[in-house]
């Protein structure tokens, strides 16, 4: 992969990671209240869900470069509105624009790079490189965002850095991304629509490889939600009071775990391509099981070790999943399929969030940590037995 593409993957992930550690503080400083904070987060998530599939199809029809550029236009608009916002209306508009930006970025550059480099470098190696760059970018962005978030009134220094990063990414993408232009209405575009429609029809009507991957992704996404949302509360309740600062360190080590997992498994798959299906299922089952054990853990050291292990497994599972998904996806439908993949993970997480709120009322957080991953394991086993997928 050429250096400019590597820089784009890294900087795009870093830009997204800038707001991750202090997003609640930024929203509260620009018009949100404690009571309305979840509404802005929900609006952002809902926008992504609604735009995921249309944005992916648009990328396949009009071009992945066009979609990636448009994502940064939306992000620039969202950050500008957030800087100007002092009330709920501009902040809501900002959340919508940022959601559109995330949706249009999802899979567009990845699909383009996979198409251009899969023959030269192989699916396992190129996917591993992409995930490594994105994980490193997210880690760097989150660390920098945590520092910049305390500077300036209303986190304005951080928002200005994010704005500058998005403008730079737009200009770099405009100059460096090379792609054959696509136009809707010509024979090629009609062929893309037909191919994508046929693929979606096969997913609905059969229990093929793509459908199995998407169902398993949604189920693992439900367990992943528990890990991402509730780990801090559990860890802080276990760690000694003077060591609460360890949360940031453990979070950074989790990003490093993702990088380690996808690098190790990428090499494993490249050397043992015939075992890619078994490798895939190994990590699909390991993640919910690890999350379940985390919920039962009563030692902060063991909790930290299992948390990092969970992210190693997450990185390993993602690379094996992406390799299989790209193998069964036609080039002309790649961005659309990646959007569907992202969509089902988000849906799995949202369903899990709703269930978690009811379970927590009935049995507390321990019940959430145990029941949701256990349900994911049972459903994964059912999918595995029914599909008999080991390819």
């Amino acid at each position: 992969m050429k250096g400019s593409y590597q820089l784009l993957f890294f900087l795009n992930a870093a830009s997204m990671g800038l707001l991750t550690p202090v997003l609640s503080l930024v929203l509260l400083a620009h018009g949100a209240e404690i009571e309305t904070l979840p509404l802005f987060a929900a609006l952002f998530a809902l926008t992504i869900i609604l735009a995921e599939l249309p944005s992916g199809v648009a990328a396949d029809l009009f071009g992945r470069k066009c979609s990636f550029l448009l994502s940064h236009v939306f992000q620039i608009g969202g950050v500008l509105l957030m800087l100007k916002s002092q009330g709920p209306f501009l902040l809501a508009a900002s959340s919508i624009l940022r959601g559109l930006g995330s949706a249009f970025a999802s899979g567009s550059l990845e699909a383009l790079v996979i198409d251009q480099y899969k023959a030269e470098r192989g699916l396992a190696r190129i996917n591993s490189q992409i995930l490594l760059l994105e994980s490193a970018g997210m880690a760097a962005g989150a660390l920098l965002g945590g520092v910049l978030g305390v500077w300036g009134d209303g986190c304005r220094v951080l928002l200005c850095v994010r704005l500058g990063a998005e403008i730079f990414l737009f200009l770099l993408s405009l100059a460096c991304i090379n792609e054959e232009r696509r136009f809707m209405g010509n024979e090629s575009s009609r062929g893309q629509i037909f191919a994508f429609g046929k693929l979606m029809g096969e997913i609905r009507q059969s229990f093929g490889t793509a459908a199995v991957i998407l169902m398993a992704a949604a189920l693992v996404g439900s367990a992943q939600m528990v890990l991402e949302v509730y780990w801090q509360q559990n860890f802080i309740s276990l760690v000694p009071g003077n060591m609460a600062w360890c949360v940031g360190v453990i979070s950074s080590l989790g990003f490093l775990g993702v990088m380690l997992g996808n690098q190790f498994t990428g090499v494993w798959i490249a050397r043992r391509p015939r075992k890619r299906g078994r490798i895939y299922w190994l990590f699909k089952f390991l993640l919910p099981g690890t999350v379940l054990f985390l919920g039962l853990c009563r030692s902060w050291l063991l909790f930290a070790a299992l948390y990092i292990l969970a992210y190693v497994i997450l990185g390993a599972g993602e690379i094996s999943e992406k390799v299989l998904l790209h193998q069964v996806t036609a080039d002309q439908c790649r961005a659309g399929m990646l959007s569907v993949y992202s969509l089902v993970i988000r849906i799995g997480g949202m369903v899990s969030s709703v269930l978690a709120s009811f379970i927590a009322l009935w049995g507390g957080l321990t019940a959430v940590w145990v029941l949701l991953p256990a349900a994911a394991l049972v459903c994964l086993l059912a999918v595995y037995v029914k599909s008999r997928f080991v390819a």
Side-chain angles (χ1 to χ4, degrees):
M1 190 194 311
K2 65 181 184 179
S4 59
Y5 284 179
Q6 295 182 46
L7 185 61
L8 279 171
F9 276 114
F10 177 84
L11 290 180
N12 186 61
S15 179
M16 298 296 289
L18 281 172
L19 293 182
T20 301
V22 292
L23 180 58
S24 296
L25 297 177
V26 174
L27 292 173
L28 290 169
H30 288 275
E33 303 290 341
I34 291 294
E35 296 79 8
T36 61
L37 193 60
L39 298 179
F40 292 106
L43 182 60
F44 174 77
L46 181 62
T47 302
I48 294 176
I49 288 175
L50 293 177
E52 276 285 12
L53 185 55
S55 66
V57 175
D60 285 329
L61 294 177
F62 300 112
R64 284 74 185 265
K65 178 177 180 177
C66 178
S67 181
F68 195 65
L69 288 171
L70 189 57
S71 75
H72 295 297
V73 172
F74 285 131
Q75 292 287 4
I76 290 168
V79 177
L80 282 172
L81 287 180
M82 187 175 283
L83 275 167
K84 293 287 186 181
S85 175
Q86 293 299 326
F89 296 108
L90 282 182
L91 196 58
S94 170
S95 298
I96 292 172
L97 286 178
R98 291 188 300 107
L100 288 171
S102 295
F104 274 84
S106 174
S108 53
L109 182 61
E110 180 181 345
L112 184 147
V113 170
I114 292 293
D115 287 347
Q116 293 182 359
Y117 288 94
K118 66 176 183 177
E120 175 187 340
R121 295 181 59 83
L123 283 173
R125 185 175 297 177
I126 192 64
N127 273 283
S128 180
Q129 187 176 11
I130 290 171
L131 292 171
L132 175 64
L133 290 166
E134 290 180 337
S135 299
M138 285 293 293
L143 288 173
L144 180 60
V147 174
L148 295 177
V150 299
W151 289 3
D153 182 38
C155 302
R156 292 188 180 275
V157 173
L158 174 60
L159 290 175
C160 287
V161 170
R162 173 75 191 277
L163 179 62
E166 290 297 329
I167 293 172
F168 178 76
L169 280 164
F170 177 86
L171 295 175
L172 183 64
S173 303
L174 191 63
C176 297
I177 295 178
N178 300 313
E179 182 189 26
E180 182 181 347
R181 297 185 68 185
R182 302 167 184 228
F183 296 95
M184 188 165 183
N186 60 21
E187 184 176 348
S188 174
S189 293
R190 287 195 296 271
Q192 291 164 11
I193 295 172
F194 175 77
F196 189 76
K198 181 180 178 182
L199 183 59
M200 292 298 100
E202 289 175 353
I203 291 174
R204 288 196 311 270
Q205 297 171 12
S206 68
F207 209 78
T209 301
V212 171
I213 292 171
L214 294 175
M215 282 187 283
L219 291 169
V220 173
S222 68
Q224 185 180 340
M225 184 283 303
V226 178
L227 176 67
E228 292 177 346
V229 173
Y230 296 110
W231 82 271
Q232 289 181 347
Q233 294 95 316
N234 272 35
F235 181 73
I236 290 173
S237 70
L238 296 173
V239 76
N242 61 345
M243 294 182 63
W245 56 269
C246 287
V247 171
V249 175
I250 300 302
S251 181
S252 298
L253 290 174
F255 283 117
L256 293 177
V258 172
M259 295 164 62
L260 177 64
N262 75 60
Q263 286 296 292
F264 170 76
T265 309
V267 173
W268 190 9
I269 292 174
R271 292 180 177 178
R272 300 287 189 272
R274 293 184 179 180
K275 295 184 178 180
R276 61 188 182 275
R278 295 179 182 179
I279 295 170
Y280 165 80
W281 280 112
L282 170 66
F283 292 113
K284 288 296 102 177
F285 283 111
L286 275 177
L287 184 65
T290 305
V291 174
L292 191 154
F293 279 112
L294 267 170
L296 299 175
C297 186
R298 293 296 176 264
S299 163
W300 73 270
L301 281 172
L302 181 58
F303 187 97
L306 287 175
Y307 174 83
I308 297 167
L309 176 62
Y311 274 89
V312 172
I313 294 168
L314 188 64
E318 188 172 5
I319 180 64
S320 58
E321 193 164 56
K322 287 288 186 69
V323 168
L324 290 170
L325 188 64
H326 283 302
Q327 284 179 336
V328 300
T329 302
D331 289 347
Q332 64 267 30
C333 303
R334 197 172 304 282
M337 179 55 76
L338 286 171
S339 289
V340 174
Y341 169 75
S342 179
L343 176 63
V344 298
I345 293 175
R346 292 182 184 278
I347 290 175
M350 286 195 70
V351 172
S352 183
S353 296
V354 174
L355 292 175
S357 63
F358 289 105
I359 295 172
L361 289 174
W362 166 72
L365 285 183
T366 300
V368 172
W369 278 95
V370 172
L371 293 179
L372 287 177
L377 279 171
V378 171
C379 294
L380 275 172
L381 182 60
V383 171
Y384 175 76
V385 170
K386 185 175 176 67
S387 66
R388 300 182 185 277
F389 169 56
V390 293

